[in-house]
Amino acid sequence: FDLSKVMFITTANTTETIPRPLLDRMEVINVEGYTEEEKVEIAKNYLIPKQIENHGLKSENIIFSEPAIRDTINYYTRESGVRNLERQIANVCRKTALNLVTTKKNTYRITPKNLEKYLGKKKYRYDIIEGQEEVGVTTGLAWTIVGGDTLFIETTVVPGSGKLVLTGQLGEVMQESAKAGISYIRSVADKLGIEEDFYKTKDLHIHIPEGATPKDGPSAGVTMCTAMISTLTGIPVRKDIAMTGEITLRGNVLPVGGIREKVLAAHRAGIRKVLLPRENERDIDDIPEKVRKKMEFVLLDTVDDALKEVLVRK
């Protein structure tokens, strides 16, 4: 077969699982996943009317409230597209159709309060930022193939011989970021009021919860560094401020990817202030205007800029 005139098109959720020799021969087109706002509009204008018609219902038989749609997106699906969202809407429509033929009630309103009756217990959870500031706990932002997410980076210090313990299934790049953070802290220990020989007499433990989920990438560098400084100085960190950025040995903050998804995750978690690398300023325009207006962005050049925002000094 002469395939010289054939164009092959293939799709994948991530390029990480594609063999390198094959990937080198491809032109990769990255398609961003839908935001929560986009999913809500797709559901209201397309998915719900389609499933109502498919199940022999009328628009007056079932009414989805917008909060119920958002809860379905956030607690019953975890995807970049809307395939599973449509399945969950179909589940609600099927049960509503059954209720119509077994009861005399003609209209059913779907709300967050009765959503579990249709879809069962929530399958996923999202962090909602609550509580007081703590020592050694910072709020970071992560990018995943199904969208952005918040993550809490916990650090603690104990007497020891200078070991650095990393737990929570951290990848090689993230481990290297933690080591770079340690070296930077050592170089400015005197300025921060930290014992200069802390790396000889203390062990540092960094943990990122949800250990079953692999985590990697350099974007948690500034978050881990801030958490370690908080632990070593005993100064609490504000939990209602999230941050992202790669750091260098000199304490500079470098740009990272996935800003739109990360900021949307922060907004969903109730965070209204986000610290971003200065070179990511151009990415702020990609964030939906409805979300952007509610957020405050602080641009970082160095780790010191982040410390000024998040350390709760007396």
Side-chain angles (χ1 to χ4, degrees):
F1 296 93
D2 180 10
L3 302 179
S4 62
K5 303 295 184 183
V6 176
M7 177 182 288
F8 292 91
I9 300 176
T10 183
T11 63
N13 289 331
T14 175
T15 58
E16 298 301 320
T17 54
I18 301 175
R20 295 294 109 180
L22 178 60
L23 187 62
D24 287 342
R25 289 163 172 78
M26 292 180 171
E27 179 181 352
V28 179
I29 301 173
N30 291 308
V31 181
E32 294 180 338
Y34 295 123
T35 66
E36 180 182 331
E37 300 301 322
E38 290 168 340
K39 289 180 180 181
V40 169
E41 294 303 316
I42 291 170
K44 288 195 295 188
N45 296 319
Y46 299 99
L47 303 183
I48 292 174
K50 175 184 173 183
Q51 291 304 322
I52 287 176
E53 182 180 353
N54 288 349
H55 289 81
L57 302 172
K58 297 179 180 178
S59 58
E60 62 266 21
N61 295 145
I62 181 170
I63 299 172
F64 284 84
S65 69
E66 185 171 313
I69 297 173
R70 292 185 183 276
D71 278 8
T72 304
I73 293 167
N74 290 326
Y75 299 115
Y76 293 92
T77 67
R78 183 161 286 185
E79 58 182 346
S80 54
V82 292
R83 186 180 298 136
N84 288 322
L85 175 59
E86 184 170 12
R87 289 183 182 135
Q88 297 297 349
I89 291 171
N91 287 339
V92 175
C93 288
R94 277 195 294 274
K95 292 181 180 179
T96 301
L98 177 62
N99 290 337
L100 282 171
V101 297
T102 55
T103 66
K104 295 181 180 180
K105 191 175 178 181
N106 192 50
T107 300
Y108 289 85
R109 185 174 180 82
I110 312 302
T111 67
K113 290 184 177 180
N114 62 17
L115 192 59
E116 287 191 6
K117 294 181 181 179
Y118 294 89
L119 299 178
K121 296 292 183 181
K122 295 175 180 177
K123 297 179 180 179
Y124 305 103
R125 59 177 290 275
Y126 285 96
D127 295 317
I128 301 297
I129 305 303
E130 296 176 333
Q132 299 297 319
E133 57 271 1
E134 296 181 59
V135 173
V137 181
T138 51
T139 305
L141 299 171
W143 179 90
T144 70
I145 60 173
V146 295
D149 205 356
T150 55
L151 49 86
F152 294 111
I153 295 179
E154 303 174 346
T155 59
T156 188
V157 62
V158 294
S161 56
K163 293 179 181 177
L164 176 62
V165 182
L166 302 165
T167 55
Q169 256 202 92
L170 310 189
E172 289 185 12
V173 177
M174 188 172 277
Q175 292 182 37
E176 291 174 356
S177 293
K179 293 173 184 175
I182 287 284
S183 295
Y184 168 70
I185 294 171
R186 286 177 59 183
S187 70
V188 294
D190 183 56
K191 186 175 73 171
L192 294 171
I194 298 172
E195 298 174 16
E196 292 188 9
D197 63 344
F198 76 89
Y199 62 94
K200 295 180 181 178
T201 60
K202 293 181 173 63
D203 289 347
L204 269 169
H205 187 164
I206 300 176
H207 177 69
I208 302 182
E210 297 190 20
T213 305
K215 309 164 190 75
D216 205 1
S219 62
V222 67
T223 319
M224 289 191 289
C225 185
T226 302
M228 289 188 285
I229 291 172
S230 170
T231 296
L232 291 167
T233 59
I235 301 175
V237 179
R238 291 183 59 179
K239 292 176 66 176
D240 61 343
I241 298 178
M243 66 187 88
T244 184
E246 181 180 355
I247 62 167
T248 70
L249 289 176
R250 294 174 295 164
N252 295 327
V253 181
L254 302 182
V256 293
I259 295 299
R260 184 180 75 142
E261 289 79 7
K262 290 175 180 178
V263 171
L264 290 173
H267 177 265
R268 181 180 61 217
I271 293 170
R272 294 297 177 263
K273 191 173 187 178
V274 177
L275 313 184
L276 302 175
R278 184 169 297 279
E279 291 185 47
N280 283 122
E281 183 177 11
R282 62 184 182 273
D283 298 308
I284 295 176
D285 292 336
D286 296 333
I287 300 165
E289 185 178 0
K290 185 177 179 181
V291 173
R292 194 167 64 237
K293 287 182 176 179
K294 298 179 182 178
M295 307 293 286
E296 178 184 353
F297 300 101
V298 177
L299 301 177
L300 307 177
D301 292 306
T302 65
V303 173
D304 282 344
D305 295 335
L307 299 180
K308 290 174 185 176
E309 295 291 335
V310 298
L311 291 186
V312 183
R313 300 182 185 274
K314 294 183 180 179

